Amino acid sequence: MVLYTTPFPSSFLSSLHSLSWALIFPCYWLGDRLLASFLPTTYEKRQRSDDPCYFQALCIIITTPIYLALLVSSLPFAFIGFLVWSPIQAARRPYVYSHIQEKARATEAKLLAEWRATSSGKSFCFGTANVCLLPDSIARFNNLFNTQARAKEIGRRIRNGASRPQIKIYIDSPTNTSISAASFSSLVSPQGGDTSHRAVNVGMKRTTSMEYKGENSGENSSEENRDGRNGGDTADGEDCPCIIRISGEDSGHISDTETDAISGHVNVACLAEIEPDFQKSPTANHKNKDADGGSLDSYTASRESLVKVRMADGAADQSSINTKLLHKTSIIKKATARKKKHTDDILDHEISAFFPANLDFLCLQEVFDKRAAEKLKEQLHYYFEYVLYDVGVYSCHGCCGFKFLNSGLLFASRYPILDATYHCYPNGRGIDALAAKGALFIKVQVGTTPQDQRIVGYISCTHLHALAGDAVTRCEQLDMLQEWVSEFRKSTSSSSAANPEELVAFDVICGDLNFDNCSSEDKLEQQHSLFTHYKDPCRLSPGEEKPWAIGTLLDPEGLYDEEVCTPDNLQKVLENEEGRKEYIVYPTSKNHCPNQKGRKVPLKGSGRRVDYMLYTEEGLNMEWKVDVEEYSFITQLAGLTDHVPVAFRLTVSTGEEES
């Protein structure tokens, strides 16, 4: 199938659309600004309260009549533009495919060859987030503003977090685990193209995640003037994690002054394969630095959050771990003392201040604003070679009712996209019916076997109906989602003598489903048949979450509180059970006010987890096994959205032993 690189099939229709939108846009923009001036966020309210001269209130009084007069004068032009714009939407394609050809050719062969080189299988990292990039006036109902600037910053944080080195620490000693901060900071990101097994002595430049700026952010603001195809290049050795092993007899009490002189005590190796899991030590809450904006362009950026401390022979004594190390790292948590019914849960999980290193696939929801989508796409192209955006339909084409906004879905990938299709949910109700909410289905190629068979994966990105109490509507949409997934896989499967049968490595569903696994009002969705075919790593059963799962819907009123407005601060709050109750939305009840703060009523569960990542083993290669290796709740977008992004790393094991 040919992927659509332009929204319209001809340049004439594209020109006509541009002309009509040029007539509509002034009216759209003025109406948006006029409404936004009367919907202040809590951040703006605090600024106004600190303004003794009421300067901002005076500006609103002056600008409102100006906006209103210009809006009225622009209405005739907008009406003419609408008469042209609406009918040509019938010829509009359902998405726009963007890729960087030079960069894609340079990396595609390398990524696809990785499967051939690792006969035992491979892992893939998926992420999903609701970024609430609505027109500014509508976003303010969620206490968010400045959509254009947020879009650029969201993209910058995502690609900076994903492009950092993946660092893992293993401590082999069960008794002596004291490491100084200097010994940890003696890490260096992989350099050059040598990805073979190698060892580097400790005497090297001290570079931690606190200092890492990403491959694309070294020239300050000048990076925005560079072409994405150049800025997106990453180091060749980036895909393999840095493994730091500290032996029992060598790891004891390394001082800051001794670190640079020691040789051979700590080995840093770039390995293609991660060593088998050992018992992990739990970690306490870590101290954060103030004024951390979550960007890796700052030396006060959030700490490394994909560091594993593993013990070969037993759990570590928490009190013996140096507090300086804890200040710089965030440990992936694996419960050492689980209840009996959870003994089969061997999943690594964490609350991370960064998006996972080497993120392969990203599914975003609520990228509704077109200009914001362009800015976000440009930033993501610094890391992701392939992007699908502007997904959906407009006007009265394709779905029942008029669609003012598209689906808001965006998909980014490091692996080549083979096929894609979009379906709109026809049963939207109320204000939700103004958006073309639906599902985007993508087929990607992730490798090639020694027999030249393509190894592919399927990813579905969706956003369900949002209005509370419409459980039947959401269940109908889940029914359609399952049906569409099956149809897409059948229509895109390849099996013939000329083209050998493809091997399917994974089938994943990501998105904002707008229901949780705790609320009694969501029982109908919780028991849907989707969860019998797809596995939810955070779920034990309908209505029961795993102990470590937390809610992903933040209380909009507290987005700009000092306690949660930075990635480090939000991470600290989410790691604390009492802190979560102040800032995460919990299942609603008829007996208390929906306001979160100061609530004394007992709360059920760990918050409303409405952002899902599901996977299935059905329809995959019979001899392969799929498991979730890591699951992360991510705070890097603190202050930029009212959702907590989630990610997991899926390991596909072929069952073959390495030669």
Side-chain angles (χ1 to χ4, degrees):
M1 179 179 177
V2 178
L3 296 169
Y4 305 125
T5 56
T6 59
F8 290 94
S10 69
S11 57
F12 172 75
L13 289 176
S14 296
S15 301
L16 200 60
H17 174 266
S18 299
L19 176 62
S20 63
W21 185 247
L23 294 173
I24 296 172
F25 182 76
C27 182
Y28 163 80
W29 186 84
L30 289 166
D32 185 51
R33 297 314 311 155
L34 183 63
L35 183 58
S37 62
F38 292 98
L39 295 171
T41 62
T42 55
Y43 176 80
E44 292 168 328
K45 288 178 181 178
R46 291 170 189 171
Q47 284 187 321
R48 294 178 185 179
S49 64
D50 296 335
D51 180 14
C53 299
Y54 301 101
F55 177 75
Q56 293 177 341
L58 184 63
C59 288
I60 293 176
I61 294 174
I62 295 174
T63 58
T64 297
I66 298 175
Y67 280 147
L68 190 58
L70 292 174
L71 177 63
V72 172
S73 63
S74 67
L75 284 174
F77 300 98
F79 179 72
I80 295 172
F82 178 79
L83 293 179
V84 178
W85 174 86
S86 184
I88 64 176
Q89 300 309 307
R92 186 183 183 89
R93 290 162 170 172
Y95 59 81
V96 178
Y97 170 62
S98 175
H99 68 289
I100 304 174
Q101 292 183 352
E102 292 85 352
K103 183 181 175 184
R105 278 195 291 263
T107 58
E108 180 177 334
K110 174 193 169 188
L111 290 172
L112 298 183
E114 287 179 356
W115 191 288
R116 190 190 299 264
T118 57
S119 58
S120 61
K122 198 176 186 308
S123 65
F124 303 93
C125 190
F126 303 79
T128 185
N130 183 319
V131 292
C132 200
L133 293 177
L134 291 147
D136 196 53
S137 57
I138 303 176
R140 288 170 179 269
F141 287 100
N142 288 6
N143 201 27
L144 294 164
F145 67 106
N146 206 342
T147 296
Q148 307 306 315
R150 281 194 300 115
K152 187 175 181 179
E153 180 64 14
I154 286 170
R156 190 169 66 91
R157 291 194 190 184
I158 291 174
R159 49 98 167 173
N160 277 349
S163 62
R164 64 196 167 83
Q166 183 178 357
I167 302 172
K168 300 179 186 292
I169 294 182
Y170 299 78
I171 300 178
D172 293 333
S173 171
T175 56
N176 196 348
T177 58
S178 178
I179 313 169
S180 69
S183 65
F184 172 77
S185 62
S186 299
L187 310 180
V188 66
S189 60
Q191 302 292 333
D194 181 15
T195 59
S196 60
H197 294 225
R198 51 192 169 90
V200 183
N201 290 334
V202 178
M204 59 178 69
K205 176 184 176 182
R206 294 180 179 182
T207 304
T208 69
S209 62
M210 306 263 311
E211 298 171 343
Y212 183 68
K213 296 184 179 183
E215 300 293 337
N216 322 309
S217 50
E219 281 87 12
N220 301 326
S221 61
S222 63
E223 79 162 356
E224 309 306 340
N225 299 324
R226 293 182 296 174
D227 189 86
R229 62 195 65 186
N230 296 326
D233 295 338
T234 55
D236 291 339
E238 180 185 32
D239 288 339
C240 54
C242 287
I243 309 295
I244 297 91
R245 178 172 293 100
I246 303 173
S247 62
E249 54 184 289
D250 293 331
S251 61
H253 302 285
I254 304 174
S255 67
D256 293 352
T257 57
E258 292 173 336
T259 304
D260 292 329
I262 295 177
S263 175
H265 289 183
V266 180
N267 289 332
V268 180
C270 285
L271 306 177
E273 294 298 319
I274 298 174
E275 302 227 348
D277 287 281
F278 296 108
Q279 185 102 359
K280 300 179 183 59
S281 68
T283 181
N285 210 6
H286 312 322
K287 185 187 295 184
N288 68 292
K289 286 196 174 185
D290 295 334
D292 176 14
S295 170
L296 293 177
D297 291 346
S298 169
Y299 283 100
T300 60
S302 304
R303 57 189 175 272
E304 170 63 58
S305 63
L306 271 180
V307 177
K308 292 184 178 180
V309 175
R310 303 188 174 188
M311 267 49 74
D313 302 314
D317 181 5
Q318 177 64 33
S319 63
S320 67
I321 299 181
N322 191 292
T323 56
K324 293 181 181 179
L325 173 63
L326 294 180
H327 173 75
K328 289 182 177 286
T329 64
S330 174
I331 312 302
I332 293 181
K333 300 176 181 178
K334 180 182 285 187
T336 56
R338 300 186 181 93
K339 297 180 181 179
K340 289 185 178 181
K341 65 177 179 179
H342 305 320
T343 53
D344 58 338
D345 182 11
I346 58 173
L347 173 64
D348 287 344
H349 52 273
E350 66 164 346
I351 298 172
S352 167
F354 282 142
F355 274 85
N358 301 328
L359 182 65
D360 295 309
F361 308 102
L362 178 67
C363 298
L364 299 180
Q365 301 86 47
E366 291 199 9
V367 188
F368 287 117
D369 189 274
K370 280 188 177 182
R371 293 183 297 149
E374 287 285 349
K375 291 180 174 64
L376 180 59
K377 183 250 312 181
E378 290 175 4
Q379 289 295 320
L380 292 178
H381 262 322
Y382 281 98
Y383 179 77
F384 294 99
E385 289 84 354
Y386 312 92
V387 177
L388 294 174
Y389 69 106
D390 197 10
V391 179
V393 295
Y394 295 90
S395 188
C396 297
H397 170 65
C399 284
C400 300
F402 181 84
K403 301 300 178 184
F404 176 70
L405 299 171
N406 62 18
S407 71
L409 301 176
L410 184 147
F411 175 76
S413 172
R414 295 179 66 203
Y415 289 87
I417 298 174
L418 300 178
D419 209 337
T421 191
Y422 158 81
H423 290 282
C424 177
Y425 294 126
N427 62 340
R429 296 176 55 189
I431 193 172
D432 242 27
L434 294 177
K437 285 188 175 181
L440 177 65
F441 305 96
I442 308 101
K443 178 182 179 181
V444 295
Q445 183 176 359
V446 296
T448 308
T449 67
Q451 294 77 30
D452 290 328
Q453 289 176 297
R454 284 197 306 191
I455 302 174
V456 301
Y458 289 92
I459 306 165
S460 304
C461 182
T462 190
H463 190 189
L464 298 189
H465 187 70
L467 299 183
D470 284 348
V472 174
T473 300
R474 280 186 288 273
C475 285
E476 290 174 353
Q477 292 177 350
L478 290 175
D479 291 337
M480 288 183 273
L481 178 64
Q482 288 190 93
E483 181 182 351
W484 291 337
V485 168
S486 178
E487 290 177 356
F488 180 69
R489 290 194 55 171
K490 290 179 181 178
S491 64
T492 59
S493 63
S494 176
S495 179
S496 66
N499 190 3
E501 183 180 358
E502 296 170 333
L503 303 179
V504 180
F506 56 78
D507 184 349
V508 173
I509 295 177
C510 304
D512 180 357
L513 303 189
N514 274 312
F515 65 86
D516 61 74
N517 196 37
C518 297
S519 298
S520 57
E521 292 83 358
D522 295 336
K523 282 186 177 180
L524 196 60
E525 298 99 312
Q526 294 165 10
Q527 298 172 356
H528 194 272
S529 60
L530 176 72
F531 296 101
T532 63
H533 300 286
Y534 286 81
K535 297 180 180 180
D536 181 357
C538 298
R539 164 181 162 131
L540 283 173
S541 62
E544 185 179 8
E545 296 276 78
K546 291 185 179 178
W548 49 265
I550 64 171
T552 60
L553 190 59
L554 298 173
D555 179 14
E557 294 299 316
L559 290 180
Y560 305 108
D561 289 1
E562 184 179 355
E563 292 82 359
V564 295
C565 65
T566 68
D568 269 348
N569 288 355
L570 181 57
Q571 181 189 36
K572 180 179 178 181
V573 166
L574 295 185
E575 287 174 343
N576 182 275
E577 186 174 355
E578 291 301 318
R580 286 200 296 266
K581 295 178 181 178
E582 294 292 326
Y583 293 101
I584 284 186
V585 176
Y586 277 74
T588 57
S589 172
K590 299 179 181 179
N591 300 324
H592 62 279
C593 175
N595 185 22
Q596 294 288 118
K597 294 189 176 183
R599 184 163 58 189
K600 303 298 182 181
V601 179
L603 301 175
K604 180 182 178 182
S606 299
R608 296 202 65 204
R609 184 176 59 87
V610 298
D611 299 276
Y612 288 78
M613 303 195 72
L614 313 174
Y615 71 100
T616 184
E617 296 179 346
E618 298 178 7
L620 309 185
N621 188 292
M622 297 291 293
E623 299 177 354
W624 293 357
K625 184 179 180 182
V626 179
D627 288 306
V628 175
E629 179 186 350
E630 301 167 356
Y631 198 101
S632 304
F633 297 91
I634 302 159
T635 64
Q636 194 169 6
L637 301 186
L640 300 176
T641 179
D642 58 346
H643 285 246
V644 176
V646 295
F648 70 17
R649 191 173 298 275
L650 202 65
T651 301
V652 182
S653 303
T654 62
E656 300 177 7
E657 296 183 359
E658 292 186 0
S659 56

